[in-house]
Amino acid sequence: MIEIKSEREIALLKEAGRIVALCHEEMKKQVRPGVSTQELNDICEQIILAHGATPSFKGYGGFPSAVCASVNDVVIHGIPSKKTILRAGDIIAIDIGACYKGYHGDSAWSYAVGQISEKDQLLLKVTHDSLFKGLEQVKEGAHLGDVSAAIGNYATSFGFGVVEDFTGHGVGQKLHEDPPIFNFGEAGTGPILKEGMVLAIEPMINAGTKRVRVLKDGWTTVTKDNSKSAHYEHTIVVRKNGYEILTTL
Ligand code: MG
Ligand code: MG
């Protein structure tokens, strides 16, 4: 069942989302050659705690850190580490969740480390734009499959691999609620969107194969061909004629 949130709940989800957005604002400045993913994690955790929230991911299913930091061929769920030092030419996806007064915000963004190749610039741009192609479909009365198809068709048209093993999701008092939101599919299928549904839409797009595997740590998910991967995510609320982004300032 997909919950409809009240305006009171949406206000709390918006504050959680604002805290996540503050972290991403800081990451824009902090992502650079020489910084470790542990340092980035710790900066985000401090911002989240300083705003009266808690990191949604820490302890979730046993995840050890406040944020996910996924470098190059890591698709999602990269575990921050002092040993993972960013170098010029890397790309990194940072996925951040904050829980404020019991409500979650969830947003991922991909960043270039120093100068990156044109090929990697295209991967970031197409993944970013695929998120917004999907969001353009969101409004009361649309099918969820309209969103999925718009994302998948756009990314596939560039020859990129659309990850199928992980999805977006509803967000509320739980980090992951119904429905799962696939990044591929058919328009005109799936649940019908209603005002007040809160959704995290999050394309994960690979430069090569769509196939992924999970490393022995049980979290780190990498592309099977070691091609690079990008990830963008916003938590939004469905409105009558469109959507409102909650994970923004
Ligand atoms: Mg996320
Ligand atoms: Mg998510």
Side-chain angles (χ1 to χ4, degrees):
M1 196 204 68
I2 309 174
E3 280 183 20
I4 306 292
K5 268 66 179 184
S6 68
E7 290 302 323
R8 184 195 69 86
E9 291 180 295
I10 290 166
L12 293 168
L13 287 156
K14 205 169 185 170
E15 180 56 18
R18 192 183 71 86
I19 296 164
V20 172
L22 285 170
C23 294
H24 278 300
E25 277 303 302
E26 189 59 26
M27 291 300 98
K28 281 185 204 162
K29 298 175 213 155
Q30 298 292 341
V31 169
R32 60 181 185 274
V35 73
S36 75
T37 53
Q38 185 68 52
E39 288 172 80
L40 298 175
N41 175 86
D42 295 350
I43 292 164
C44 290
E45 185 163 10
Q46 280 164 18
I47 293 170
I48 291 167
L49 294 173
H51 288 82
T54 53
S56 301
F57 305 160
K58 200 173 188 176
Y60 186 90
F63 189 77
S65 304
V67 307
C68 301
S70 303
V71 181
N72 293 335
D73 65 332
V74 181
V75 180
I76 50 167
H77 301 164
I79 300 172
S81 165
K82 282 180 194 156
K83 291 181 196 156
T84 307
I85 315 272
L86 298 182
R87 295 182 303 184
D90 287 342
I91 60 170
I92 179 172
I94 305 175
D95 194 353
I96 306 172
C99 183
Y100 179 76
K101 294 190 178 169
Y103 288 84
H104 294 276
D106 187 7
S107 172
W109 213 254
S110 292
Y111 300 91
V113 183
Q115 189 63 40
I116 62 170
S117 71
E118 275 182 28
K119 204 180 145 198
D120 293 346
Q121 285 176 38
L122 183 67
L123 176 66
L124 296 193
K125 180 171 172 23
V126 169
T127 308
H128 172 275
D129 291 353
S130 75
L131 168 60
F132 285 87
K133 294 280 176 195
L135 290 175
E136 277 171 18
Q137 299 297 319
V138 175
K139 62 176 180 189
E140 177 149 304
H143 283 85
L144 190 58
D146 302 348
V147 179
S148 301
I151 294 169
N153 293 342
Y154 184 73
T156 308
S157 74
F158 289 85
F160 292 142
V162 176
V163 175
E164 296 181 353
D165 294 7
F166 296 90
T167 68
H169 49 92
V171 183
Q173 287 180 282
K174 282 190 247 155
L175 178 61
H176 294 124
E177 298 186 351
D178 276 345
I181 304 171
F182 292 91
N183 292 306
F184 64 99
E186 252 182 81
T189 65
I192 292 173
L193 301 181
K194 293 197 177 72
E195 182 165 26
M197 290 179 174
V198 174
L199 308 172
I201 298 174
E202 49 178 315
M204 292 151 258
I205 308 295
N206 302 341
T209 179
K210 66 185 178 186
R211 298 181 71 199
V212 301
R213 67 190 176 92
V214 179
L215 300 187
K216 282 199 187 107
D217 62 23
W219 287 105
T220 312
T221 301
V222 300
T223 57
K224 271 211 167 163
D225 59 2
N226 295 113
S227 64
K228 286 183 180 171
S229 184
H231 182 200
Y232 289 84
E233 172 185 34
H234 268 313
T235 303
I236 61 103
V237 57
V238 178
R239 293 303 193 186
K240 280 262 180 297
N241 296 307
Y243 64 92
E244 185 184 345
I245 295 175
L246 299 178
T247 38
T248 190
L249 296 181

